[in-house]
């Protein structure tokens, strides 16, 4: 029965293109939007009930969060790309082995980093660019959320493997339940009981427990193929998975480093108001990226299965679907910024008490809107290269868009052109990266990577079923 799951009747390999694309993309987007909504609601309650300084305190901790999430995401993406290819080949045992090793490795790594971080809190706060006046607020949140992060990272890796095994709806349901619980508990603990940042962290922790509980229903599904095994060999495969997911690690860690640089520069030029204003604007950037990552995460599954089956034409068509949706969403986001940008700022801040912060946030939105047109395309192209087992080109795209170009441009503007808006570096970096990403994609097109004789027999029935040109 397990072997039959990856016969040519597998919908990923032969099903109607758009329905299959949306079957995986919509749950993935919905799940990540649920997470995004929870984060945004966190910001709403913290900004309105605790204040702009609390928003700044959380923003200063973001580089630490992204470092941890980067490791787990690299493990999840690199592992599931390998598992997806094994499933496409019908090798269930190898897929189960990488699933087991990735979960165990994530647990150990996150425990070690979290315990170390708790032992050196104040040096960490200083490294993150915080002023001593913000240390108490940061500690209030950090001392709770640090323990929560271990479970959060393991559940994230688990989520990706549930999806790659063909249960995207269950994985998404778990995310939505967790995010909905987080929102409800934010309202109770932060809004009603006035528990401040500690309440926000506790809300996240309790929501993660419930999310994991829903995910565990996967273990009861009769059609599942991945089986956890505690005793494993060939642990070097974990490092291969990490290497293949390195672009996702670079994306997350680079975002953290650029955030660290932005926080330092804004603290120097505009103080806590500047950091708090960027926090509000960053919620919209985060929202856009979660939508784009949701679509791209679905592509990991669709592309890796078809790579294993040797079907380049179907890979090309799935890429066309994803690109069409991402470009359309980019235009919608830009229109939203133009028409409703001020309303977004007012939702997160008491504009009478934090008027300076609100004005700065409005100004930042007017600078950053061009990045929404292209950042999703760059994410998609990087994910494509990862799914096609081209980690170095994928890492080049990820490194360019999330660290090298924005970091270099931020420093150049701050030192050589201080009259320029500092944050113009971010959209400029995305557009420059697009040129590189497009060139690398053209060199690694599906038909170049998969030999024609190996795919000719399968491409015909797949194309007949697609109905998408």
């Amino acid at each position: 029965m397990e072997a039959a799951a990856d016969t040519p009747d597998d919908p990923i390999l032969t099903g109607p293109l758009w329905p299959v694309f949306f079957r995986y993309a919509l749950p993935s987007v919905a799940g990540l939007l649920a997470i995004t909504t929870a984060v945004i609601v966190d910001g709403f309650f913290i900004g309105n009930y605790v204040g702009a300084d609390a928003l700044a305190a959380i923003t200063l901790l973001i580089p630490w969060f992204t470092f941890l999430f980067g490791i787990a995401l690299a493990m999840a993406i690199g592992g599931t790309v390998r598992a997806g290819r094994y499933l496409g080949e019908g090798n269930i045992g190898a897929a189960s082995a990488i699933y087991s090793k990735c979960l165990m490795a994530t647990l150990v790594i996150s425990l070690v980093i979290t315990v170390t971080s708790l032992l050196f809190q104040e040096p960490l706060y200083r490294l993150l660019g915080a002023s001593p006046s913000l240390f108490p607020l940061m500690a209030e949140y950090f001392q709770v959320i640090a323990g929560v992060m271990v479970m959060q990272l393991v559940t994230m890796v688990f989520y990706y493997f549930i999806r790659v095994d063909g249960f995207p709806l269950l994985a998404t349901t778990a995310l939505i339940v967790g995010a909905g619980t987080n929102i409800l508990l934010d309202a109770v603990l932060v809004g009603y009981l006035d528990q401040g940042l500690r309440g926000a962290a506790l809300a996240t922790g309790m929501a993660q427990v419930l999310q994991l509980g829903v995910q565990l229903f996967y273990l009861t599904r009769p059609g599942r193929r991945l089986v956890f095994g505690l005793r494993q060999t060939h642990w070097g495969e974990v490092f291969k998975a990490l290497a293949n997911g390195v672009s996702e690690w670079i994306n997350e860690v680079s975002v953290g480093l650029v955030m660290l640089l932005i926080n330092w520069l804004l603290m120097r030029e505009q103080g806590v108001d500047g950091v708090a204003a960027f926090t509000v604007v960053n919620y919209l950037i985060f929202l856009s990226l979660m939508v784009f990552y949701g679509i791209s995460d679905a592509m990991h599954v669709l592309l890796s299965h078809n790579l294993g089956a040797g079907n380049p034409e179907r890979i090309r068509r799935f890429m066309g679907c994803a690109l069409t949706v991402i470009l359309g969403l980019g235009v919608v986001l830009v229109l939203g910024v133009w028409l409703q940008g001020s309303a977004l700022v007012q939702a997160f801040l008491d504009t009478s008490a934090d008027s300076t912060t609100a004005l700065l946030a409005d100004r930042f939105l007017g600078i950053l809107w061009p990045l929404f047109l292209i950042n999703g395309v760059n994410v998609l192209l990087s994910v494509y290269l990862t799914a096609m087992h081209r980690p170095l080109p994928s890492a080049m795209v990820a490194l360019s868009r999330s660290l090298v170009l924005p970091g270099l441009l931020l420093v150049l503007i701050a030192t050589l052109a201080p009259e320029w808006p500092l944050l113009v570096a971010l959209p400029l970096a995305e557009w420059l990266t697009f040129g590189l990403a497009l060139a690398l994609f053209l060199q690694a097109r599906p038909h170049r990577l998969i030999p024609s004789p190996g795919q000719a027999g399968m491409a015909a029935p797949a194309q007949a079923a697609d109905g998408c040109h």
Side-chain angles (χ1 to χ4, degrees), residues 11 63 78 94 137 158 169 190 230 247 259 315 336 354 389 394 404 406 448:
L137 282 171
F158 194 22
L169 185 59
V190 181
L230 193 59
S247 61
M259 283 290 295
I315 290 172
D354 299 307
H389 291 252
S394 180
V404 174
R448 285 192 171 188

Side-chain angles (χ1 to χ4, degrees), residues 301-359:
V301 178
L302 302 176
L303 299 184
S304 62
H305 276 68
N306 280 283
L307 176 64
N311 195 344
E313 180 60 19
R314 193 158 173 86
I315 290 172
R316 185 188 68 81
R317 290 169 178 263
F318 274 129
M319 285 293 291
C321 292
L323 184 63
T324 301
V325 174
I326 284 173
L327 288 174
L329 289 172
V331 172
V332 170
L333 282 167
V334 170
L335 292 175
V337 170
W338 286 351
L339 300 175
Q340 297 294 328
S342 295
L344 172 72
V345 173
Q346 292 171 12
F348 285 90
L349 293 168
D350 181 347
T351 52
S352 60
D354 299 307
S355 57
T356 302
T357 303
L359 288 172

Side-chain angles (χ1 to χ4, degrees), residues 46 206 218 254 259 304 332:
I46 291 167
M206 289 185 275
Y218 166 73
S254 298
M259 283 290 295
S304 62
V332 170

